[in-house]
Amino acid sequence: MFEYGYTIIPSIVLGVLSRLSMLRIDSRQYPSYPQGTFSHLTLGIIAAALGSVAVPALAEKEFAAVTFLALAAQQFRDVRNLERQSLDNMEPTELVARGTAYIEDIAKAFEARNYMTILTSVIVSIVIFTLTQANIHKTLAILIGILIGFIAIIYFNRAISRQTIQDIADVYPAKIEFQGPLLTVNGVIIMNIGLKASREIYMKNGIAVEIIPKDENGIATLANLGQRQAIQHNAATQLGIRKDKDEPDFTPIARRDPHTGNVVMAIVSLEPDVECLVEAVKNTIVLESSKRKPLDSKAGRKAAD
Amino acid sequence: MDVGLKDTILAIITTDRDVVSSGSVPIFYAKDEDEKEKIALLIAKVTLGMIHDLENGCYIIVKH
């Protein structure tokens, strides 16, 4: 096998690097550190190894080995199920739920990242292998392979990076008011809060935002309940929410103005700083499964003007 | 699995006997506004429900 060491080793290294570049540990703490991260890193190494042996296996006319590769690739589809299940199980323990759409999006991302790793490895091994077949010196072939590998990593990272809310909408601070027991933000009714003490807390510490979509695509995307749930979750986790399990009054709810498609949300956070809320909402990702593009259809374009 | 009554009225707290009639939902009569607030809060804490104001002297508790 080590006849092909010069293709296999660089492509495994590049593959693992590509997985590492997509394995970020940030405020979301997902994948969780250290155990979750470690298992994903291990899977990444396996994926890289799979991708890098594909070309040498073909060169040796080991077609059975290639079918085994396909079988192994199937395993990565389970990554999605695994992530979905574990997030679903944790959902009741969240004060503000992530929502099924957000969970689906995270699960999809983890599956896709493993495929990116396999692809990076395959690309590097193809480049090195073909260059050496074309009688180019091995060292040079490996160097070119590594270069192409890095370009692939950058390209894939760009290709799967997702939009954030600030790309599809403007976010402004908004005003909380009560019409009797009804909590309203900029005139849009959010919910009925009966308890006077809760209303006082809202008036004193509550902050609110209005999300104004830039076009019809944004309106349709923000209408999705899963997308709004993701915004609520992000705002609550980043600002720190003033709520416990037995205080449903303070659950942040993003409601839609049915006339304009604008979305408003009020939240009582531990730190009532509206600038931070605007920032948190702006940086929420646009969920792949919530994204709608009515403007790409003929009827949608016509209806928009 | 989490089993419970959701999105239904769990209890009614009122100061006005005329606006409610007995049914399947427990009704709690309060002497005045303050007592109404207090009973509503106590029931809401037990049921993990939310208090809604019907503006006719009634509070309802609903779990969402």
Side-chain angles (χ1 to χ4, degrees):
Chain A
M1 173 195 155
F2 262 79
E3 204 182 319
Y4 291 104
Y6 63 95
T7 47
I8 293 175
I9 292 167
S11 49
I12 288 184
V13 172
L14 263 293
V16 173
L17 277 181
S18 98
R19 186 68 189 96
L20 273 178
S21 74
M22 291 182 269
L23 201 61
R24 284 183 218 112
I25 298 151
D26 60 11
S27 71
R28 282 168 285 184
Q29 284 292 301
Y30 207 86
S32 50
Y33 182 83
Q35 291 156 18
T37 308
F38 191 74
S39 56
H40 278 293
L41 191 61
T42 315
L43 268 176
I45 294 171
I46 294 170
L50 277 176
S52 56
V53 294
V55 174
L58 276 176
E60 286 291 304
K61 297 211 164 46
E62 291 279 355
F63 297 122
V66 180
T67 46
F68 273 114
L69 280 182
L71 211 69
Q74 286 265 329
Q75 299 300 318
F76 289 103
R77 293 175 60 177
D78 280 344
V79 171
R80 185 158 160 187
N81 274 330
L82 208 87
E83 289 303 325
R84 188 196 292 123
Q85 261 171 20
S86 82
L87 283 168
D88 269 339
N89 288 344
M90 290 194 310
E91 188 79 335
T93 66
E94 299 279 350
L95 272 182
V96 180
R98 280 193 176 87
T100 43
Y102 198 2
I103 288 176
E104 203 55 42
D105 219 64
I106 296 172
K108 240 185 240 171
F110 277 102
E111 189 192 8
R113 285 170 191 180
N114 278 310
Y115 294 142
M116 297 292 168
T117 305
I118 296 181
L119 280 179
T120 310
S121 290
V122 169
I123 289 171
V124 174
S125 67
I126 286 177
V127 169
I128 297 177
F129 185 76
T130 42
L131 286 182
T132 42
Q133 290 299 303
N135 279 331
I136 289 175
H137 193 270
K138 270 182 191 168
T139 327
L140 185 65
I142 291 171
L143 280 177
I144 295 174
I146 290 173
L147 185 74
I148 300 275
F150 275 115
I151 294 171
I153 291 174
I154 294 167
Y155 172 75
F156 284 142
N157 264 314
R158 288 240 178 98
I160 63 161
S161 71
R162 285 163 289 186
Q163 280 184 309
T164 51
I165 292 292
Q166 57 190 337
D167 298 324
I168 63 162
D170 298 313
V171 184
Y172 301 106
K175 198 165 177 280
I176 296 177
E177 270 175 330
F178 278 95
Q179 293 172 8
L182 295 175
L183 168 68
T184 66
V185 172
N186 284 5
V188 181
I189 296 172
I190 295 200
M191 57 180 158
N192 182 323
I193 296 178
L195 204 65
K196 288 192 184 87
S198 301
R199 282 183 234 162
E200 271 161 31
I201 292 174
Y202 260 106
M203 288 313 285
K204 221 173 104 195
N205 286 332
I207 44 177
V209 286
E210 180 163 19
I211 308 167
I212 301 172
K214 286 178 178 162
D215 56 14
E216 272 69 15
N217 288 346
I219 292 177
T221 305
L222 281 169
N224 184 283
L225 292 176
Q227 178 64 55
R228 283 190 257 161
Q229 185 73 50
I231 294 173
Q232 288 158 215
H233 175 83
N234 258 17
T237 47
Q238 288 177 24
L239 270 72
I241 189 158
R242 190 221 161 283
K243 180 199 171 201
D244 200 1
K245 181 88 178 124
D246 59 353
E247 293 175 311
D249 293 17
F250 303 116
T251 308
I253 295 181
R255 284 268 188 257
R256 182 170 192 246
D257 182 349
H259 303 295
T260 57
N262 296 352
V263 170
V264 295
M265 181 179 73
I267 186 172
V268 183
S269 64
L270 289 174
E271 286 289 328
D273 188 336
V274 76
E275 289 306 314
C276 301
L277 178 61
V278 169
E279 193 66 26
V281 171
K282 273 185 177 171
N283 290 325
T284 305
I285 52 168
V286 175
L287 304 183
E288 201 176 299
S289 37
S290 306
K291 209 191 269 176
R292 301 284 180 278
K293 290 203 162 168
L295 286 182
D296 285 3
S297 73
K298 204 175 167 193
R301 263 195 309 277
K302 224 172 177 183
D305 45 60
Chain B
M1 251 244 330
D2 185 19
V3 180
L5 277 178
K6 277 198 166 177
D7 302 324
T8 52
I9 300 178
L10 297 177
I12 302 170
I13 302 101
T14 183
T15 49
D16 186 354
R17 282 174 186 262
D18 298 332
V19 296
V20 286
S21 67
S22 64
S24 56
V25 180
I27 302 170
F28 297 85
Y29 296 108
K31 282 198 293 288
D32 50 35
E33 279 291 313
D34 286 343
E35 199 189 45
K36 190 174 77 175
E37 286 268 327
K38 198 177 164 198
I39 295 175
L41 181 64
L42 291 175
I43 298 173
K45 288 284 173 197
V46 175
T47 56
L48 299 185
M50 187 170 168
I51 304 162
H52 296 292
D53 186 355
L54 301 188
E55 290 193 293
N56 62 348
C58 287
Y59 278 176
I60 56 171
I61 314 266
V62 180
K63 191 174 175 187
H64 294 286

